[in-house]
Amino acid sequence: MKELKIPLINNGTVIDHITSGNALKVLRILGIPENLSSTVSVAINVKSHLGNKDIVKVENRELETSEVDKIALIAPKATINIIRNYEVAEKHKVELPSEIIGIVNCSNPTCVSNYNEPVKSRFKVINKDPPQIICYYCEREPEDISERII
Ligand code: CTP
Ligand code: ZN
């Protein structure tokens, strides 16, 4: 029988199959706990048939595309389940687009995207799982992507 670690939710978003240990990074991407407007539950290192995973359940909130792209950078196997009236109304696997614009800072201090002029950061996605990105302008690859997420 499937063991339920956190109660089912009535309405909101369940981010499931998060790379084990990365739930807190997902919370940071969602601005939690600073922007707390709803109940959030977290399970870390839960056993599943595909190895261990983390789960984040955010009640009464649906995610922005930019938030989903950020999650794909640190949890490429995550699924986003939209819950309405206790049912899984939608299920999507996160997927990185081929380019990510304005969501990660380049780690090269002299990169044109780090000047004060309004050049948005831009990265080419060279591998989706594990995520690997290089700067469109200077070709620098961030050492730790999660540290560079805006
Ligand atoms: N869930 C929830 N509240 C609900 C319905 C589902 O919190 N009212 C959660 C489940 O606990 C699970 C996730 O949403 O973590 C996806 O639910 P479901 O699709 O029913 O589970 P699985 O079939 O196991 O999903 P998958 O195949 O994606 O692993
Ligand atoms: Zn750069």
Side-chain angles (χ1 to χ4, degrees):
M1 200 187 90
K2 223 157 98 175
E3 194 186 348
L4 202 55
K5 293 282 180 191
I6 339 176
L8 298 175
I9 62 172
N10 176 12
N11 188 67
T13 303
V14 175
I15 308 154
D16 198 357
H17 301 287
I18 299 168
T19 312
S20 191
N22 278 4
L24 296 178
K25 290 176 181 167
V26 170
L27 295 182
R28 203 178 67 190
I29 287 167
L30 300 179
I32 296 165
E34 289 78 11
N35 303 331
L36 264 194
S37 55
S38 58
T39 301
V40 176
S41 20
V42 179
I44 293 175
N45 207 27
V46 179
K47 269 203 196 79
S48 93
H49 53 291
L50 302 164
N52 289 10
K53 64 174 182 180
D54 292 357
I55 308 169
V56 169
K57 302 190 182 189
V58 189
E59 292 181 42
N60 302 315
R61 172 164 164 192
E62 296 192 5
L63 307 187
E64 316 274 339
T65 311
S66 63
E67 292 172 323
V68 175
D69 288 348
K70 290 176 185 178
I71 291 169
L73 281 171
I74 54 129
K77 292 183 172 61
T79 54
I80 309 286
N81 299 274
I82 314 277
I83 313 294
R84 297 190 188 117
N85 206 2
Y86 282 105
E87 304 260 300
V88 178
E90 290 176 33
K91 184 189 287 283
H92 308 283
K93 272 192 70 73
V94 298
E95 205 194 338
L96 276 177
S98 55
E99 282 209 330
I100 49 170
I101 295 173
I103 69 170
V104 173
N105 272 331
C106 184
S107 56
N108 173 4
T110 63
C111 178
V112 65
S113 67
N114 283 326
Y115 294 165
N116 280 333
E117 53 189 278
V119 177
K120 275 194 181 167
S121 74
R122 181 168 168 186
F123 286 84
K124 287 186 261 189
V125 174
I126 54 172
N127 197 46
K128 294 190 179 189
D129 186 9
Q132 253 185 304
I133 59 176
I134 55 166
C135 181
Y136 173 84
Y137 300 105
C138 73
E139 304 207 310
R140 175 84 62 102
E141 183 179 345
E143 264 173 42
D144 181 352
I145 297 177
S146 69
E147 293 286 314
R148 315 289 332 171
I149 294 174
I150 301 168

